[in-house]
Amino acid sequence: MGGLTEAKLRALAGERSFERGRGYVDEVSGVEFGDGWIRASVRGTERYDVELVLAGRRKPTGTCDCPYGQEGNFCKHLVALGLTAIAQEADLPRRRKAARDRTRGLDAWLIGLSRDGLLALVREEMAEDRNLRRRLELRAASASGDLAEIRSRIRELLDIGPFAQYGYVEYADARAYAGQAGQAVTAIRSLTTSGRAADATALAREAIGLLAEVAENVDDSDGRLGEIGTGLADAHHEASRAAGPDPEELAHWLVTHALDDAADLTDIDPLDYEDLLGERGMAALRGRAVEAWKANRTGWAEKHLMQRLAKAGRDIDTMIAVHAADLAPNRHTHLLIARELDAADGAAEALEWAERGIREAEDLATVDTSLIDYLADRYTRTGRPADAVTLRRDHFAARRSLLTYQQLRAAARAAACWQTEREKVLALLRADAKRGHAHSGRVLVDILLDDKDVDAAWRTVGEYGAHDGQWLTLADQSRPTRPADALAVYRRLAARLTRETGNHAYEQLVSLLLSIRDCHRRLGTPGDFTAYVTDLRAIQKRKRNLMRLMDDRGL
C-alpha cells in the first residue's frame, strides 16, 4: 500500500484536518481497491467522492470533490479514507484480486450479451439513471447531426427546474446541478472535434447566455458555475479557432458579451481573439467599443473594455479620455491619469493633472490621500520643497491627525522650516481645543507624545484629558524622569484591569505590574511594591491564570 501510515496522513493533511478526519472514518462507504488507488464515498455535509493514489515510494496524493479538496488540499475526507485503508491493509491483496476478477467477469458478461440483450440493458440503466440517459442522448444527437436536438438537450442540461425549490437552487443541490450543466461543455467540444465548429460556436454562445440567466438563482458558494463558465469560454475559443468566423461578426459578439452580465462568469478577454480578428476585426472591435462607451461613459463594463483596448494599443490619449469622462469626487481618477502619463513619459502633463485634482477639490479632507502623497513626492523630487510643505500644511489643516502631522514634519524638515511650522500646528490645535473641540485635544496629545515632548504632554493631558492608550504611552515615556507621575498612571490603569477577567486582561495587568515595580525601584521604595503585590494577590487569588502569569514573571 505504498507504505501508507498515520504519520504520512498527518503530514499531508496537517494536524487539524487529520484529527477531524478521525471522526469521519465511520462515514466511509463503498471502498474500492485497485492497483495503486483506493476510492470510496465519504459522507460529510453531503456525500463526496474520494480517491487516494499510492505512488510507491513517493508520497500519496488524493482528490476529493468537497470544497476544501477542490482547492487542492488534502482534506479530512481523504484522511478518513486513508485510515480506513490502513485498517484494512492485511486484507488488501485479496481485495485487489477480487476487484480484478470482478472487472474481468463484467467484461466477459458484456461481451457475451447479444445485441438485443445489450440494448435492453442500456435501456434499463437509462430508465434508472437520468444523467446517463442525457449523456447518451447527446451522443446520439451529435452522431445524427441534428443541431436542433443538440440545442434542446443543452437547454435541458442548463435548466435549473429539476433542482430548484421555489425557483432557487440551494447549496445542497448546487453540486448536482453543476455536474449536469457541465455536460454541456463536453457536448459543445465534441461538436468541434467532429468537424462542426461553426455549430459549436453558436451553441457555446447560447449556453453562456443561458448559464448567465440562471446564475443568480443558484447558491454557487463553491464557485462551480464559474468553472462551467470558464469551460464554455474555452469551448467557444476552440470552436472559433477551428471555424474561422467572420471577423466583424466575432468582434460584434465579443463587445456585446463584454458588456453583458455573462462576462462575469466567463472572463472572456477579447484580445485573446486578436489573431482571429485580424486588422479588420480589431478595427470593428475598437469601433463598437467606442460606440458603447460614448453611449454610457460612466458604465463600469464600458470603461473597462475601453481601458483594456487602449492599454493594449498603447493609446494613452484614449486612456485619459476614458478616465476624464468620469472623474471621481475624491480625485482618485486624477491620480490614475497622472500615473498613466508618467508611464508614457508625460511627466509635465502628469503633474498638471495631479495639481488640477487638488486645485478643484472643495475640501482637501475628502481627497484621496494617495494623490496628496503623489504630488508631495513629485514636488520633493523636482526641487520644490516649499510647495511640498504648503500642500502638507493644507492637508493637515483639513484632516488633523497624527499621520498628517508626521507627513508635514518630514516635508518641513526637508525644507529647513520645521520649527516655524510646528509652532503654527500646536497653536492651531490648542486654539481648537480651547473652543471645546475634543478631537483636536487628543491629536495634540498624540503629537506631543510622538515628538517625545513629555513635559508639554503632561500639561496638555492635565488641561484637555486623554484616553487610556495615551496615558499609558505618556507613563512609559515619563518613567525614567518622572517615575512618581508614571506610577500614579500605572496604578490607576491597573485598578481598572483588576475588575476584568480573561487572559488578555491578565497579560495587560502583569505588564503594568512590571512597570509599577520599575517605578518603585527608581523611587527607592521596593517595600511599597511588595506590599502592593501582596494585597493584590490576596484579592485576586481565585484568578488562577493571573496567578500563574505573575509567578512566571517573578511578581
Side-chain angles (χ1 to χ4, degrees):
M1 197 163 56
L4 186 64
T5 64
E6 290 193 12
K8 285 186 178 180
L9 290 175
R10 191 186 300 273
L12 288 167
E15 190 67 32
R16 184 168 181 268
S17 288
F18 179 82
E19 291 301 327
R20 294 181 70 187
R22 287 184 182 275
Y24 282 82
V25 171
D26 292 340
E27 304 299 330
V28 178
S29 62
V31 181
E32 296 180 53
F33 290 81
D35 288 330
W37 56 264
I38 308 168
R39 298 186 188 122
S41 292
V42 181
R43 180 171 293 282
T45 307
E46 54 186 278
R47 185 162 291 282
Y48 299 114
D49 294 325
V50 186
E51 179 176 289
L52 268 175
V53 178
L54 310 174
R57 295 181 179 179
R58 288 177 295 176
K59 67 180 182 180
T61 60
T63 58
C64 177
D65 57 2
C66 74
Y68 189 62
Q70 286 186 334
E71 294 175 0
N73 300 298
F74 200 93
C75 66
K76 60 190 178 186
H77 309 111
L78 281 165
V79 171
L81 177 55
L83 292 172
T84 300
I86 291 171
Q88 300 177 10
E89 182 172 11
D91 199 31
L92 181 60
R94 184 191 66 79
R95 285 178 173 271
R96 282 181 172 168
K97 182 179 182 302
R100 289 193 294 268
D101 290 345
R102 285 196 302 271
T103 300
R104 284 195 293 265
L106 178 60
D107 287 345
W109 178 66
L110 289 172
I111 291 170
L113 289 175
S114 66
R115 177 180 179 277
D116 289 342
L118 189 59
L119 184 59
L121 173 65
V122 172
R123 284 173 174 164
E124 181 182 338
E125 291 301 317
M126 285 194 301
E128 295 290 332
D129 189 336
R130 181 176 61 184
N131 286 331
L132 174 62
R133 181 181 186 88
R134 282 179 168 161
R135 288 196 297 271
L136 293 178
E137 285 174 344
L138 267 175
R139 289 194 179 189
S142 298
S144 68
D146 188 343
L147 184 62
E149 183 65 17
I150 298 172
R151 175 176 284 109
S152 175
R153 294 291 173 256
I154 287 178
R155 294 185 72 88
E156 287 182 9
L157 290 173
L158 296 171
D159 179 21
I160 65 171
F163 303 90
Q165 295 184 16
Y166 309 108
Y168 188 80
V169 180
E170 302 289 350
Y171 177 80
D173 299 309
R175 179 166 170 262
Y177 170 71
Q180 173 182 295
Q183 296 174 33
V185 178
T186 303
I188 292 167
R189 281 182 162 151
S190 67
L191 278 177
T192 300
T193 56
S194 63
R196 300 175 62 190
D199 290 339
T201 301
L203 286 177
R205 294 179 183 179
E206 186 173 340
I208 288 170
L210 290 171
L211 187 66
E213 288 177 8
V214 303
E216 65 179 16
N217 295 315
V218 179
D219 184 340
D220 191 34
S221 301
D222 294 338
R224 291 190 175 98
L225 293 194
E227 294 174 5
I228 296 170
T230 300
L232 289 173
D234 292 341
H236 179 268
H237 191 264
E238 293 164 6
S240 298
R241 187 167 295 282
D246 174 77
E248 292 187 1
E249 187 278 332
L250 176 58
H252 174 71
W253 183 82
L254 287 171
V255 171
T256 301
H257 174 74
L259 303 180
D260 189 74
D261 291 341
D264 292 336
L265 275 174
T266 61
D267 198 26
I268 290 176
D269 185 348
L271 293 177
D272 288 342
Y273 292 77
E274 189 170 3
D275 59 332
L276 296 178
L277 291 167
E279 291 185 11
R280 183 160 64 94
M282 286 301 295
L285 183 72
R286 293 189 182 94
R288 290 189 178 276
V290 170
E291 289 176 7
W293 172 66
K294 286 183 177 178
N296 184 18
R297 293 176 186 267
T298 61
W300 182 90
E302 288 80 0
K303 290 192 298 181
H304 179 73
L305 179 59
M306 284 294 293
Q307 290 165 5
R308 181 79 180 90
L309 295 174
K311 188 175 288 291
R314 301 179 185 278
D315 186 353
I316 187 64
D317 291 336
T318 297
M319 183 70 75
I320 293 172
V322 173
H323 284 310
D326 186 26
L327 294 172
N330 71 346
R331 302 304 186 262
H332 179 69
T333 322
H334 291 75
L335 175 62
L336 296 179
I337 293 173
R339 287 174 173 168
E340 293 288 351
L341 287 165
D342 274 335
D345 297 325
E349 287 184 81
L351 179 61
E352 182 180 334
W353 268 99
E355 289 181 328
R356 174 181 163 185
I358 301 301
R359 186 171 58 251
E360 295 177 355
E362 294 182 4
D363 183 359
L364 213 54
T366 65
V367 172
D368 185 346
T369 56
S370 295
L371 178 60
I372 305 286
D373 295 341
Y374 170 90
L375 191 53
D377 179 65
R378 175 59 62 88
Y379 285 150
T380 300
R381 288 190 290 108
T382 55
R384 298 171 59 181
D387 290 332
V389 171
T390 299
L391 177 62
R392 292 298 191 187
R393 182 196 307 128
D394 292 344
H395 193 217
F396 175 81
R399 183 180 289 185
R400 298 170 192 184
S401 69
L402 176 60
L403 175 60
T404 54
Y405 173 82
Q406 291 168 334
Q407 292 168 331
L408 172 58
R409 182 174 62 195
R413 281 176 174 170
C417 61
W418 172 229
Q419 196 55 43
T420 301
E421 292 296 330
R422 183 175 189 269
E423 290 172 1
K424 293 178 182 177
V425 166
L426 298 184
L428 175 65
L429 291 174
R430 288 193 178 101
D432 275 353
K434 286 179 179 178
R435 287 194 292 269
H437 295 185
H439 173 72
S440 292
R442 298 295 171 86
V443 172
L444 180 57
V445 172
D446 280 336
I447 285 172
L448 295 172
L449 291 173
D450 192 61
D451 283 344
K452 304 296 189 294
D453 194 345
V454 175
D455 291 338
W458 275 106
R459 291 193 297 271
T460 302
V461 297
E463 191 170 356
Y464 305 117
H467 57 68
D468 284 352
Q470 291 174 321
W471 277 112
L472 180 58
T473 302
L474 179 57
D476 288 341
Q477 290 187 11
S478 304
R479 198 162 70 223
T481 57
R482 303 176 63 160
D485 291 331
L487 176 61
V489 174
Y490 290 139
R491 291 196 58 162
R492 177 170 55 80
L493 295 176
R496 292 183 184 177
L497 287 171
T498 59
R499 295 191 290 271
E500 298 182 18
T501 58
N503 288 339
H504 181 63
Y506 299 157
E507 289 167 0
Q508 289 180 300
L509 179 55
V510 167
S511 177
L512 287 173
L513 292 175
L514 293 172
S515 297
I516 291 171
R517 182 173 65 183
D518 185 55
C519 287
H520 279 293
R521 181 185 61 79
R522 295 175 185 274
L523 292 167
T525 56
D528 291 348
F529 176 72
T530 300
Y532 171 77
V533 170
T534 301
D535 289 343
L536 181 67
R537 277 182 168 277
I539 296 171
Q540 304 289 323
K541 61 183 178 182
R542 292 187 179 181
K543 297 177 180 177
R544 295 179 181 178
N545 284 353
L546 174 59
M547 296 298 104
R548 179 181 55 79
L549 285 173
M550 291 177 67
D551 289 340
D552 290 343
R553 300 308 297 269
L555 293 169

